[in-house]
Amino acid sequence: MQTPRPAAAATEPGGDAASIARRRPWRYTPWLGGLFIAGIVALAALGIWRRHANAVAEIDRELDALSRVIAEQTARSVQTVDLVLQHVAGEFRSGKLDRLADEAALHDYLRDQSAGLVQVAGLSLIDADGRIRASSSRFPQPQPRPDVGALPSFQQLKATANAGLMVVGTMRGINRPEAWMFPLGRRLERRDGSFAGAIAAAGRVEYFQNFYRDLRLDAGSAITLLHRDGTVIARYPAVDAALGQR
């Protein structure tokens, strides 16, 4: 009977595969190094993504807070003007303005009412036909007197008993064509409720744009105030070509 031969040793002389691997650990070093580097890259990418997500979230919070501040400032500015317009409309309906028959007296009255309203360029009293009777503006009224009777906003005030505050899109000033303004107006009524004209204020676009400028936005940022119909009322940085456009 023949004695069985032992199994063949390794393919390489000198021992089996396990002993060869123990003698040559450097063969696995590149793979281990590659895995280590890949782990570092993955952790770095995860950190960058998290920082980016946190930065975006922080910017969103800052923009939300800033937009709320701007909206509140705009609302308070308009409401302050509207209180004066309501007051003048109330005095007109009660007949207290009937004694102010001449233009000079009306001018002084409107000038007193507009004192402190830095967000408007002045107040104007408009008759039922759309002609400006008097203005608080220190600038002389153009001749012939401007007629706003054909404007849709005036026609809406004329046709609607409870129109409330009317805010019109941006336009050039009547007394100062180089200045941009947006009219705000309320309906005037006689004691019997019939239409008698309007009391209007010329909102200063420059006032709002200067306020936005003083916020000191980051480079590349812009603030735009829009009418509810999409018309641009004010913008900073200022772009005159965009004002009054949808």
Side-chain angles (χ1 to χ4, degrees):
M1 185 172 176
Q2 217 175 18
T3 304
R5 288 182 166 183
T11 56
E12 295 184 16
D16 58 17
S19 62
I20 294 174
R22 286 194 297 270
R23 288 198 301 270
R24 299 181 180 178
W26 52 265
R27 295 176 59 186
Y28 300 97
T29 301
W31 293 100
L32 294 175
L35 290 174
F36 181 73
I37 293 173
I40 293 177
V41 171
L43 290 175
L46 179 62
I48 293 172
W49 178 84
R50 285 178 174 174
R51 287 194 294 272
H52 173 74
N54 291 336
V56 170
E58 182 64 25
I59 291 173
D60 285 343
R61 287 191 293 269
E62 291 178 358
L63 289 176
D64 181 67
L66 181 61
S67 64
R68 291 176 184 273
V69 170
I70 295 172
E72 185 68 17
Q73 183 269 346
T74 303
R76 293 291 176 259
S77 297
V78 173
Q79 288 170 1
T80 301
V81 177
D82 189 33
L83 287 174
V84 175
L85 299 180
Q86 291 184 64
H87 173 72
V88 175
E91 292 208 325
F92 183 92
R93 181 162 186 168
S94 68
K96 291 182 179 180
L97 298 188
D98 291 344
R99 68 180 184 275
L100 306 176
D102 59 77
E103 182 182 338
L106 283 172
H107 168 80
D108 292 340
Y109 170 79
L110 294 175
R111 184 184 60 189
D112 292 341
Q113 295 299 319
S114 64
L117 295 179
V118 296
Q119 62 269 51
V120 301
L123 302 177
S124 296
L125 196 67
I126 305 170
D127 66 18
D129 295 325
R131 292 186 296 269
I132 297 179
R133 289 180 56 191
S135 172
S136 67
S137 174
R138 67 181 185 275
F139 299 98
Q141 290 292 316
Q143 298 296 333
R145 291 296 178 84
D147 188 343
V148 300
L151 294 179
S153 54
F154 184 83
Q155 290 298 319
Q156 185 174 346
L157 284 176
K158 186 175 182 178
T160 309
N162 298 311
L165 177 67
M166 178 73 63
V167 181
V168 183
T170 307
M171 58 188 295
R172 292 287 188 179
I174 295 176
N175 294 327
R176 300 174 60 200
E178 75 280 3
W180 287 95
M181 45 85 72
F182 61 99
L184 304 95
R186 274 193 171 270
R187 174 185 168 105
L188 292 179
E189 295 180 346
R190 302 181 182 90
R191 293 184 180 182
D192 61 1
S194 61
F195 179 71
I199 176 67
R204 295 175 53 229
V205 171
E206 180 185 20
Y207 166 80
F208 290 93
Q209 293 187 157
N210 289 342
F211 176 77
Y212 302 154
R213 178 199 62 199
D214 293 341
L215 293 175
R216 300 185 182 278
L217 301 174
D218 293 335
S221 300
I223 299 177
T224 304
L225 176 63
L226 299 173
H227 192 277
R228 61 186 174 188
D229 67 2
T231 302
V232 176
I233 292 179
R235 186 186 188 279
Y236 185 82
V239 179
D240 282 359
L243 298 179
Q245 303 298 318
R246 294 191 179 185

